[in-house]
Amino acid sequence: MNMDQLKYFVLISNLGSINKVSQQLFVSPQAISSAIKKLEDELGCSLFIRDGKKSLILSEQGKIFITTAEDILHTLKIGLDRVHSLQTKTSTKKAITEKLNIQISTVHSISIIPSVIEIFSHQYPQITLTLIQQETP
């Protein structure tokens, strides 16, 4: 069983036709039909009722399996999103220099800087902050 088979299964159940899924995904109807056949062989049951009019309706087994297939695809999407998000954060952090000097006035150092530093340090722990305090004239 693979993700393409599950994706095709879910889309066919939503669209009711292999041809519609084929057009949407730019995959040949034969490839989709073959993937569904392999999925059905692996599960040992028919997932669709084929009424001869090229429309496919979920069988009883298909109705049971659809939620599992949707859950698997949803969980995979969440995992991929998390990995991509981490990669983006990591590449952004690596592109930033490791040392940052900030010159601030005494007034600002008391009021807003501590909270800003805390947030920044939490998001970018690899960066060393150096604060240079300057008296306000």
Side-chain angles (χ1 to χ4, degrees), residues 6-66:
L6 295 176
K7 180 172 61 174
Y8 299 157
F9 169 61
V10 170
L11 285 172
I12 292 169
S13 73
N14 291 331
L15 299 175
S17 158
I18 289 176
N19 286 331
K20 289 178 184 175
V21 173
S22 171
Q23 291 169 356
Q24 183 174 336
L25 298 178
F26 302 104
V27 176
S28 75
Q30 296 80 6
I32 294 171
S33 182
S34 175
I36 293 299
K37 174 75 171 114
K38 288 177 184 174
L39 180 61
E40 289 176 327
D41 288 347
E42 187 173 340
L43 293 171
C45 64
S46 292
L47 296 171
F48 295 102
I49 298 169
R50 291 152 176 89
D51 65 6
K53 299 178 186 176
K54 293 195 176 192
S55 64
L56 299 175
I57 302 165
L58 287 175
S59 66
E60 288 304 312
Q61 294 90 340
K63 290 176 184 175
I64 292 168
F65 188 65
I66 190 69

Side-chain angles (χ1 to χ4, degrees), residues 85-115:
S85 175
L86 181 61
Q87 285 175 333
T88 301
K89 286 180 183 178
T90 302
S91 64
T92 301
K93 287 179 182 179
K94 285 181 181 176
I96 297 174
T97 60
E98 295 181 10
K99 188 173 182 180
L100 179 62
N101 296 325
I102 302 174
Q103 189 168 1
I104 57 172
S105 70
T106 307
V107 174
H108 289 108
S109 66
I110 295 171
S111 59
I112 63 170
I113 294 299
S115 60

